[in-house]
Each structure stands twice: as C-alpha cells, then as structure tokens.
Amino acid sequence: MNRQVFITGATSGFGKAIAYKFAAQKDHLILCGRRNDRLLAIKEDIESTFGVAALLFNFDIQDKNQIDEALNTWMATKPTIDILVNNAGLAAGLSSVEEGSLDDWERMIDTNLKGLLYISRKILPILKGQRQGHVFNISSTAGKIVYKNGNVYCATKHAVDALSQAMRIDLLPYGIKVTCISPGMAETEFSLVRFDGDEEKAKQVYKDTAPLQANDIADAIAYCANLPKHVCINDLTITCLNQANGIYVQKNADKL
Ligand code: NDP
Ligand code: 8X3
C-alpha cells in the first residue's frame, strides 16, 4: 500500500511479524532494534521477497542520546510516517515488590515506558504535521489487571494503556488514530528474556496451552490499520482460548 511503517523492537516476536505483515502488503518499513545482525538479515529477506524498502536504525531505546544520534540526520530529511508501532519492550524477572531487583525495575521502566515516550516525542510531530497517521502502542493483559509478582512490569503496561488514552486526546484535533493492543501470553522471546535465558522456565509458561503466536498480533494490527479512514479501533485485548485474563490460564483444556 506504499505506507511508511516505523516499528520499534523489530528484531523478534511481534515486531518482526508486524514488519513481514506490512511488507507483504507492499508497505515500506523503518525497523529499529539493538541486534543489528538481525535487522540486517530481516532487511535483506524482506527487500528481496517483497520488493519494498526497509530502513534500519540501531539503538537502545532506553538511551535518548542514542535515539537522537540514530534518527536526527534522517529526521532532517523530513520523512513521512504513516504508522508508528511502539512495540519494543520486555519483562525482567518475576518477584514481589519487597524482593524485586532495582536493575530489573529500571530496565522495564526505561524500555517500556520511557523508551516509548522518547520515540513518541520524536515521531508524533511528524504525524501531527501530516494531519494523518496511526499509532499502535503494545500494552498487555498485564496492563489491564495486575498478577502476582508482576508489579513493575504490570505498572509499565498500565502506563502504556494510560499513555494511549492520553495520545488519543492530545492528537484528536489532528486526525491521528491511536490503537492500544493488549495481548495475553504469546510465544515469542518474551519469557526467555524475562527468565534471563532459562529455556526450561520459559517453556513452562506455555506448556499445555496453545498460546498466541506473533502472527496473530500482526494480523490484528494489519486489520486495524486497513480500516476506512473514519474508523478507529481504540483498544483490543487479545488472548488465546486458554486464557481469560492476566491471571486465569487453563492448562490442558483439551483433556478436560
Ligand atoms: P521479544 O522479546 O520477542 O521482542 C522484544 C523486542 O523488543 C525485540 O525486538 C527487542 O530488540 C526489542 N527491545 C527490547 N529491549 C530493547 C531496548 N532496550 N532497545 C531497543 N529495543 C529493545 O518479545 P515480544 O515480541 O513478545 O514483545 C514485544 C512487546 O509485546 C513488548 O512490549 C512486550 O511487553 C509486549 N507483550 C508481549 C507479550 C507476550 O506474551 N509475548 C504479551 C503482551 C505484550 P533487541 O533485543 O534487538 O533490541
Ligand atoms: C506479557 C504477557 O502475562 O506475561 O505481557 O504479562 S504476561
């Protein structure tokens, strides 16, 4: 469709699936992440498979100076951006407030909350100037209800929900759509990151369920992005059939 789609966290999981989904629709991509080898491999594959352009930006979203360094020269060329997907994020650890790791808390707050704000502050003026655009913020079922030991991760995702409401109000005069997507458990690298590379622990999260896959979220985002100009889906909570919300998961549902 020839739109310009800016995606944070495009090196794996949802972000990568969203990139492929838009590329398959002939949209052009601006892809961000820290793992440059992955970005380069995705660019090569997408450009040769779909014949669209993929521009890469390599930065740690926690660091506003790195963001400036990576984006400022390109921003000066006055690019257009039709869709911004604020997706980069993580959970680090799972423990009570009185025992939590300050480092984990800072990583989550700096990535999921401050990183999203840094990118939005940079990109939203472009959408505003165009008087059109669509922002997708990736929250979570963890942004709807708090679960045991999820404290700070849940707080950052509640904040993404609040910021989505705020953006919808602030951008209302400019014809910009804001959609907050709140997925439940999905099998990406998310749990591997949360449990610091412990594959066994990560696998247990999804064991005996049929979790969401990254493509399911990409499909939903493409659906929202392709609606008529006057229609905006504000919020979507999406879980697999084995999950009612951030707390209730039914294992072995097929054996009941
Ligand atoms: P993945 O771990 O597979 O992907 C996370 C992406 O975020 C990667 O591309 C990673 O890129 C990027 N990222 C993480 N930290 C940084 C950073 N400091 N700077 C720049 N980029 C960063 O997980 P998901 O795809 O599952 O997660 C995507 C989003 O979805 C997150 O916001 C997550 O909270 C949310 N979510 C996930 C759910 C799940 O169950 N999987 C459910 C609900 C919401 P790189 O490491 O290369 O920098
Ligand atoms: C990711 C889903 O349930 O691990 O946001 O918080 S959960």
Side-chain angles (χ1 to χ4, degrees):
M1 293 187 193
N2 235 13
R3 295 172 295 196
Q4 302 287 337
V5 185
F6 189 108
I7 305 170
T8 66
T11 56
S12 75
F14 297 162
K16 181 175 172 185
I18 294 162
Y20 275 82
K21 190 80 199 170
F22 280 114
Q25 299 180 3
K26 300 288 176 201
D27 291 312
H28 300 290
L29 305 169
I30 301 119
L31 305 178
C32 310
R34 287 168 302 180
R35 287 169 288 182
N36 208 33
D37 52 335
R38 289 201 184 193
L39 286 176
L40 289 165
I42 292 167
K43 173 185 169 73
E44 194 182 323
D45 188 36
I46 277 183
E47 289 187 340
S48 63
T49 308
F50 302 108
V52 299
L55 190 61
L56 305 181
F57 290 113
N58 185 215
F59 55 78
D60 184 333
I61 206 167
Q62 300 175 88
D63 183 338
K64 55 179 182 299
N65 295 324
Q66 271 193 39
I67 295 176
D68 281 345
E69 255 173 53
L71 297 183
N72 280 359
T73 307
W74 171 69
M75 300 275 296
T77 67
K78 306 231 174 299
T80 57
I81 294 172
D82 300 290
I83 296 171
L84 164 63
V85 185
N86 276 319
N87 163 73
L90 82 161
L94 196 60
S95 68
S96 63
V97 176
E98 75 280 8
E99 289 176 354
S101 146
L102 298 189
D103 285 347
D104 285 349
W105 293 356
E106 276 167 14
R107 264 173 77 205
M108 289 188 278
I109 292 166
D110 290 353
T111 308
N112 303 354
L113 181 48
K114 290 166 71 180
L116 181 144
L117 281 168
Y118 295 154
I119 291 296
S120 300
R121 180 64 185 84
K122 247 186 150 50
I123 303 297
L124 293 183
I126 299 178
L127 274 58
K128 179 176 168 179
Q130 296 165 173
R131 297 292 194 272
Q132 73 90 23
H134 196 157
V135 182
F136 289 90
N137 291 328
I138 309 300
S139 177
S140 167
T141 45
K144 301 283 177 193
I145 188 169
V146 175
Y147 55 80
K148 192 167 182 240
N149 293 331
N151 42 65
V152 174
Y153 178 68
C154 294
T156 63
K157 290 301 178 179
H158 274 72
V160 173
D161 194 72
L163 288 171
S164 301
Q165 295 179 47
M167 287 181 193
R168 207 169 291 120
I169 296 165
D170 295 350
L171 297 169
L172 185 63
Y174 309 108
I176 294 159
K177 300 183 184 185
V178 180
T179 301
C180 184
I181 304 278
S182 300
M185 60 179 189
E187 203 165 15
T188 61
E189 293 177 16
F190 177 85
S191 290
L192 203 58
V193 172
R194 167 169 249 171
F195 298 120
D196 206 17
D198 186 330
E199 288 185 13
E200 212 25 65
K201 245 178 163 173
K203 255 194 242 154
Q204 287 305 316
V205 174
Y206 311 109
K207 192 168 182 285
D208 301 323
T209 68
L212 292 173
Q213 301 298 314
N215 272 333
D216 300 323
I217 301 308
D219 282 345
I221 288 184
Y223 174 79
C224 295
N226 294 343
L227 287 167
K229 192 171 165 31
H230 67 287
V231 182
C232 179
I233 294 188
N234 291 342
D235 283 294
L236 263 188
T237 301
I238 308 167
T239 65
C240 70
L241 195 53
N242 303 136
Q243 184 172 22
N245 58 28
I247 298 172
Y248 292 100
V249 173
Q250 181 63 60
K251 299 252 177 190
N252 289 311
D254 52 331
K255 297 195 183 111
L256 292 178

